[in-house]
Amino acid sequence: MNPAEIAETPAGSAVRTMVEARLEEARRSGEAPETVRVEWRGQPTNFKVITVPTEVLLYNPATHRIRAQRSHDPVFDARLAEDPWSEESQEYLHKLLRCKPDNPDATDPDFEKLRDDLEAYGQKDAGIITPSGILVNGNTRCAALRDLKERDFRAAVLPATATWADIAAVELELQLRKDRRRDYSYINRLIAVHEQTSAGRTPEELAKAFRTTPKAIKRDLWVYDFISDAIDRSRKRLAGGDETSLRLMDFEGHQETLSELHRSYHQAADAGKAEALRENRLLAIVLGTAKTKVRYVGHDFHNSYLVPALGEEFARPAGPAEEPFSLPGLDLGDGLPLPADDPETLRARAFTDRVLQAKARQAAAPLLTPEESSEARTVLNQVKDAVEQGVQKAEWATLRAKRKTAAAKTLRDAAELIGESTQQASQARSQDLMEHQALDESLLELAAALKKLSRVASRGVDHPGPGLSWLQDAVADL
């Protein structure tokens, strides 16, 4: 869709004539007109509100509200791209505006709340349209009003010179206001950040617009690139000639997991471990592993848990991945090797690609041959079982490791507290404020605790180290 031009809609001329007549009527009424104030080409501007029939309005095919969900049905998405103003395309948009972001086959509870609010109290906030009736803001409200069989829709009207770039900027500015009624989904927000960056806006500018920080914007861009890379790697040509892949909307609901992956990735000890972690977490996310469990998937997950469970031949493909190795958001230039470009990491990546492509084929079930369907199902079932078992073992190993060092860590904390207590005692003594009886009672409590610790720590230890020996001697006369 051309960012500058808005193509004429089928009934655009008639709608434009009606809109201009109603704007003129509003100007002549002599009453103070209702207006909507928006940021228009860098300046706060008031636009007059009129009432138009809901039936003449057109859903905006470029709205960020449902950008990721458009790919839910590739056939309808293709028709929408070809003719966004057809009745069929507009009905598809109406369906998507009502649906849950992560499941377009189900109605969103937030949409139902909005519809109920409109039914009880009417349209309180005006939308925004172009002179030809394209909805800039208020797509979801219009869908709800149509469900309620309401005939009228109140909307401010943008100038006739409005472009698609203007529409995107106005929609984004209104969405990010604190009084917004229904948030963009996580993935649609990522798309908006990516598009604004591609249009030349800096992370600092976007941080201000999105009411966040440049660091958060850079994280969102990293996650968008991470998801886009996974989608590219999942592409698979089917026996029937069609191509299938994962979709952006397949990653809805993973915001916390993806944010945690970004943090862990950049905290990894080296590039090799970072990339291995990325591959293993991507595998777990695509297979639907619970977000509370994904954190137990570490850089060694593939070799430690998947290879033993699945076998060398299955878990370690013979060759490296077909696509060149890359890190999201990092362009090293041609011919520059990555430090993580080692055979083990590439084999893990090739294994992940196999699973990504199986997942993409599963989503295109009606287009598969029986053999393709059986292969995808076998791969996913085997890998999902192995990942679930591996996560359980990794969680147990992590908790066991924490238990091993928990007592030592607590003692280090106690040593720091005793250091603070020593400083506090020195300050009290220097000011002649020492409460000796209270200190003596606390020291007796400490002595009893140390004696108990010595007894527990000495069980089964034939040759105590210097620390335990000191403790045994210290409490011997207590």
Side-chain angles (χ1 to χ4, degrees), residues 260-309:
E260 186 171 338
L261 169 59
H262 172 266
R263 181 171 59 254
S264 300
Y265 180 92
H266 288 90
Q267 291 175 349
D270 57 59
K273 290 181 178 179
E275 187 59 27
L277 175 70
R278 176 180 180 266
E279 293 300 320
N280 293 329
R281 292 276 179 93
L282 171 59
L283 184 70
I285 290 170
V286 168
L287 292 175
T289 306
K291 61 184 179 182
T292 55
K293 302 294 184 180
V294 172
R295 63 174 59 102
Y296 296 109
V297 176
H299 67 87
D300 61 341
F301 188 82
H302 180 85
N303 291 331
S304 298
Y305 300 104
L306 296 185
V307 173

Side-chain angles (χ1 to χ4, degrees), residues 147-178:
D147 280 3
L148 295 170
K149 310 299 183 186
E150 292 289 341
R151 297 175 56 186
D152 296 323
F153 185 85
R154 289 178 21 258
V157 185
L158 294 182
T161 58
T163 65
W164 282 116
D166 292 326
I167 289 176
V170 169
E171 181 195 18
L172 184 62
E173 192 267 330
L174 289 171
Q175 167 61 23
L176 296 174
R177 288 183 179 179
K178 293 184 178 296

Side-chain angles (χ1 to χ4, degrees), residues 410-433:
T410 302
L411 279 177
R412 285 195 293 270
D413 293 341
E416 291 183 6
L417 290 173
I418 289 176
E420 292 180 15
S421 178
T422 302
Q423 185 177 7
Q424 292 164 357
S426 175
Q427 292 175 346
R429 182 179 296 279
S430 66
Q431 299 175 20
D432 197 23
L433 296 174

Side-chain angles (χ1 to χ4, degrees), residues 173-187:
E173 192 267 330
L174 289 171
Q175 167 61 23
L176 296 174
R177 288 183 179 179
K178 293 184 178 296
D179 60 350
R180 58 189 180 270
R181 183 178 293 275
R182 186 185 180 211
D183 288 341
Y184 285 163
S185 71
Y186 174 57
I187 296 300

Side-chain angles (χ1 to χ4, degrees), residues 1 61 70-71 73-93:
M1 194 169 290
R70 280 183 46 168
S71 61
D73 189 317
V75 175
F76 278 104
D77 189 26
R79 293 174 183 172
L80 181 60
E82 182 179 350
D83 184 6
W85 316 121
S86 70
E87 183 176 349
E88 185 180 47
S89 294
Q90 288 290 303
E91 287 179 357
Y92 184 51
L93 290 171

Side-chain angles (χ1 to χ4, degrees), residues 332-457:
L332 293 178
D334 295 335
L336 294 179
L338 285 164
D341 195 359
D342 62 82
E344 286 299 321
T345 302
L346 289 177
R347 279 194 286 268
R349 181 178 172 85
F351 174 74
T352 303
D353 285 351
R354 184 180 180 186
V355 176
L356 290 173
Q357 291 167 10
K359 191 70 175 178
R361 290 199 301 273
Q362 184 186 56
L367 303 176
L368 303 183
T369 64
E371 292 77 14
E372 287 176 318
S373 180
S374 176
E375 180 187 358
R377 184 168 56 251
T378 298
V379 169
L380 293 175
N381 287 343
Q382 291 185 14
V383 176
K384 187 174 179 63
D385 288 344
V387 169
E388 288 178 352
Q389 295 173 19
V391 167
Q392 290 179 354
K393 293 178 180 178
E395 180 180 8
W396 180 83
T398 300
L399 296 177
R400 187 167 180 267
K402 286 183 178 180
R403 292 192 189 103
K404 283 183 176 181
T405 59
K409 182 179 183 303
T410 302
L411 279 177
R412 285 195 293 270
D413 293 341
E416 291 183 6
L417 290 173
I418 289 176
E420 292 180 15
S421 178
T422 302
Q423 185 177 7
Q424 292 164 357
S426 175
Q427 292 175 346
R429 182 179 296 279
S430 66
Q431 299 175 20
D432 197 23
L433 296 174
M434 177 69 74
E435 182 59 59
H436 292 281
Q437 183 176 351
L439 179 62
D440 195 59
E441 291 174 355
S442 296
L443 288 171
L444 289 175
E445 292 179 7
L446 175 61
L450 289 173
K451 188 172 184 178
K452 184 176 181 180
L453 175 62
S454 176
R455 186 166 58 250
V456 172

